[in-house]
Each structure stands twice: as C-alpha cells, then as structure tokens.
Amino acid sequence: MAPTIATPITDSADIANFVISKGNGVKGLSEMGLECLPQRFIQPLEERISFSNIMPQESIPIIDMSNWNDPKVAESICDAAETWGFFQIINHGVPIEVLENVKDATHLFFGLPAEDKKKFLKENSPSKNVRFGTSFSPKAEKALEWKDYLSLFYVSEDEASASWPSVCKDQVLEYMKSSEVVIKRLLEVLMKRLNVNEIDEMKESLLMGSKRINLNYYPICPNPELTVGVGRHSDVSTLTILLQDEIGGLYVRGKNDSWIHVPPISGSLVINVGDALQIMSNGRYKSIEHRVLANGSQNRISVPIFVNPKPYEIIGPFPEMLAGGEKAAYRQVLYSDYVKHFFGKAHDGKNTVEFAKI
Ligand code: OGA
Ligand code: NI
C-alpha cells in the first residue's frame, strides 16, 4: 500500500469540509501550521480593521461596583449605557477563582480531539441547546470568521448537567450562578432611570428570561490582517457579560467611524447593552457595534453570557418610556423572530435593529 502523505488542503470545498463538517474548526487549520489564510476567510477590504481608525487614547468607562449602593455608581452605569453602550466592571462580586475556572474549562473543551467536539456539531448534538461550530453563520456568509465556539442555551440545571460537555459544564454552571447577583443589580439600576422601579415576574421574563453562554476560541491566524475573529455586529441580548483572557482584540465602535480597544483587565467583566435593551428602552440605552481582530501570534478565548428575553416574549418599548408622550421608535416583535432574523444573515453591523424600527 502506498504511504499516505499529508498534503496541505487548499481546495475550498475541502477546507469547508475539514473546518465545518469534520469538527476540526479553525483551530484544526491553525494547528496544521498553514502559511497563508485560505480564500474562504478573506474578508472584503471594508470589513478588515484599518489601523488608521483606531483611537488608542480613548477608553470605555471602568466602573468599580464595590459600593454598588452608592447613587454615583448607579449614575455611572446608566451614563455608560446611554453614551457608550459598553463598559467594564471591577469588584463585581464574581469570585476570581470562578472566572479562572471557566477560562481553564474553555481551554479543556477546545483541547479535546476533533472526534469528541464533533459530537456537538448541530447535526450530531444530543441536545438542541448544545452546539459546537465555527464562524457565525457559515451558510449565510461569503467570508468566514476566524473563530470556533461552543454555544450553550441554559434551560435548567438538570438539563445542563445531562447534556452539556462534561469537561466544562460544572465550571460554566458555577459561573452562571455566581454572576446572577451582579446581572440583577445592573438591570435594576438601568431600569430605575427608565422609571421601571420594580423588576416583577413579567419584567424579569422580558429582561432576563433566558440565557445563552458561549465559549469562544480564536486560534492563531496566519494572516490576521485579511480576516476577522468576529465581524461587526451588535448583540441581540438585553445585556452581555463578557469574560476575556489577557490577549485582547475586542474593538468597540466610537465616534466618527473610529474603533476603541477594550483592554483586558484582570478580574474585570465587560458589559454591553444588546439590541433587546435598546428596543425596550426606546433607544435610550444603545447597543454598540463591536468586532474582534484575529491574532497572528496568540490563541485567545472569551466567554460571553447573553442575558436575553424569553424566546416567546414580545418585546417593544416599555410603556413607562412612552408614558410622557414619547413616540415609540420600535414596533412590538416576537423575540424569537428577532433572533432568527439575526442568525439568517452574515454579521452586518447595526442593521439587525432595523427589523424592529417603525
Ligand atoms: C460575541 C462577541 C467578543 C469577544 O460573542 O458576541 O462580541 O471578545 N465576542 O469575543
Ligand atoms: Ni458580540
């Protein structure tokens, strides 16, 4: 029998098969040591980050939550959500150890052999709430993004214990549980400024009735300048709580087409307003475009928790926002329709929210 010689895969169909269908992800490609980026990942010029637009002197607010009862803290949170849509929190009460454990668990999951991860591809996964994949929406995208992910939709502790991958489920559940208090505090503070003084059961279901947590892996990329880790988008959540490692690469849209880096701060969490909160606040709080650069020398991970309305909730501007005669800027939409619209297309900046505009 002729010896098998490992030949580099260059054909576009082979690449898609290797990365998407076989469960190797872009991590598998990266580890083959390929010297140049395959065509499928080359983004059009306008989607690549041009360094001339980056504002190194700008920074999103950093808010110390240790005295969270202090009205000044509440004011900074609401101001940041109105003007930046993005901020970092420190002294937030989630133990550092819990954060470290979830980052370690992310490395453990992506360190599994492709055959093990493949079991969680959409077509194989034992649960529709567990999905391993690559890029954002490969069927809808012309150019793929340089990212692999494991996406976990939280239904209940029992369901998670039964269906989430065993190498990471305990750590992820612990992180979700430990972050509940700070999530509730942030939402309470943000609601007060909108004259929503109590988060009753109905509001709770609207604001935080479901949660999704993603483990993101951005492997070393041979030509980081030609592609993106994640393309321009805003999140469809109410709020996103993002844990990132020490590598960096997340950029937020600033004034006049500029981009602002979100520097890793040990122990901090990055908070951003999602489209659902922009809609419910009738535009007062803003979901801001962001993107992730690919990295040529280091592997990066991040772990966002998307705090979302329940899928069957109908979202629209809060009556409290319109009580004073303010005109509604958004119509009522079924949240699951909104999410379906988001995933049915490639990342396209702030365009998703147009779906709900009046
Ligand atoms: C996302 C996202 C940013 C990051 O998953 O929606 O924007 O730093 N991630 O990974
Ligand atoms: Ni995002």
Side-chain angles (χ1 to χ4, degrees):
M1 205 166 68
T4 0
I5 299 165
T7 46
I9 44 170
T10 46
D11 183 71
S12 183
D14 289 347
I15 297 257
N17 188 40
F18 178 83
V19 173
I20 303 168
S21 318
K22 291 266 160 58
N24 294 289
V26 280
K27 181 169 184 285
L29 265 191
S30 172
E31 287 170 357
M32 281 171 51
L34 79 177
E35 272 165 31
C36 56
L37 185 75
Q39 191 72 32
R40 272 302 298 271
F41 295 91
I42 300 183
Q43 293 285 334
L45 250 180
E46 63 276 15
E47 294 304 330
R48 303 181 203 158
I49 291 200
S50 141
F51 285 87
S52 59
N53 291 346
I54 293 173
M55 299 286 158
Q57 69 287 8
E58 289 272 12
S59 163
I60 60 168
I62 297 164
I63 300 173
D64 185 338
M65 298 272 293
S66 35
N67 298 319
W68 64 275
N69 264 325
D70 182 341
K72 282 206 200 83
V73 174
E75 199 179 306
S76 338
I77 292 169
C78 296
D79 288 350
E82 280 187 15
T83 54
W84 292 91
F86 254 93
F87 51 100
Q88 301 210 54
I89 54 173
I90 53 173
N91 299 318
H92 42 62
V94 184
I96 299 294
E97 193 188 275
V98 171
L99 303 181
E100 290 305 316
N101 289 345
V102 84
K103 283 191 277 181
D104 291 346
T106 302
H107 283 289
L108 281 178
F109 176 77
F110 287 98
L112 292 173
E115 305 88 80
D116 292 348
K117 288 181 283 195
K118 200 178 158 197
K119 294 178 195 146
F120 299 103
L121 287 172
K122 195 174 179 196
E123 56 277 24
N124 306 337
S125 184
S127 160
K128 64 179 190 322
N129 302 319
V130 180
R131 202 175 63 225
F132 167 62
T134 194
S135 193
F136 169 68
S137 210
K139 286 202 182 88
E141 291 164 325
K142 280 207 195 86
L144 298 175
E145 301 179 346
W146 194 260
K147 175 188 93 165
D148 298 328
Y149 68 86
L150 176 71
S151 188
L152 303 166
F153 184 76
Y154 179 82
V155 175
S156 70
E157 183 129 7
D158 285 348
E159 200 277 340
S161 286
S163 63
W164 290 8
S166 52
V167 284
C168 58
K169 67 180 175 196
D170 292 343
Q171 300 88 326
V172 171
L173 278 170
E174 186 67 33
Y175 175 42
M176 290 189 89
K177 223 184 288 170
S178 321
S179 57
E180 262 168 30
V181 175
V182 72
I183 291 170
K184 198 81 190 272
R185 274 180 198 160
L186 288 168
L187 285 172
E188 274 166 4
V189 161
L190 289 167
M191 287 304 106
K192 271 221 175 95
R193 188 171 280 190
L194 305 182
N195 295 323
V196 176
N197 290 316
E198 193 207 349
I199 301 185
D200 57 13
E201 227 171 277
M202 221 178 82
K203 286 267 165 32
E204 184 162 315
S205 173
L206 266 176
L207 290 166
M208 49 184 293
S210 71
K211 277 184 193 160
R212 177 179 290 284
I213 184 158
N214 284 2
L215 313 186
N216 292 326
Y217 193 91
Y218 304 94
I220 294 171
C221 179
N223 293 106
E225 67 290 352
L226 299 181
T227 189
V228 292
V230 179
R232 293 181 299 118
H233 70 285
S234 56
D235 295 348
V236 292
S237 56
T238 301
L239 278 186
T240 304
I241 286 67
L242 179 111
L243 170 66
Q244 62 169 336
D245 66 10
E246 70 291 355
I247 310 295
L250 170 61
Y251 289 80
V252 172
R253 179 70 96 177
K255 281 186 218 89
N256 305 325
D257 276 356
S258 66
W259 292 92
I260 300 164
H261 188 231
V262 180
I265 298 174
S266 172
S268 82
L269 292 167
V270 181
I271 309 294
N272 64 283
V273 172
D275 294 348
L277 183 55
Q278 173 168 323
I279 293 168
M280 291 188 278
S281 70
N282 204 31
R284 178 112 185 219
Y285 297 133
K286 296 182 184 65
S287 71
I288 300 293
E289 244 182 335
H290 52 285
R291 50 158 59 163
V292 176
L293 218 63
N295 190 308
S297 58
Q298 285 166 300
N299 300 309
R300 172 177 185 261
I301 57 155
S302 71
V303 186
I305 300 177
F306 300 101
V307 179
N308 297 328
K310 268 222 158 63
Y312 58 71
E313 284 290 353
I314 292 175
I315 62 164
F318 286 132
E320 290 87 342
M321 282 307 294
L322 308 177
E326 188 173 307
K327 251 183 94 192
Y330 304 95
R331 62 187 177 90
Q332 309 278 321
V333 293
L334 181 67
Y335 186 63
S336 59
D337 284 347
Y338 192 83
V339 173
K340 208 195 270 169
H341 173 69
F342 177 63
F343 282 101
K345 58 184 176 55
H347 277 141
D348 58 354
K350 279 280 293 180
N351 282 348
T352 320
V353 82
E354 295 296 320
F355 183 75
K357 276 220 175 105
I358 287 180

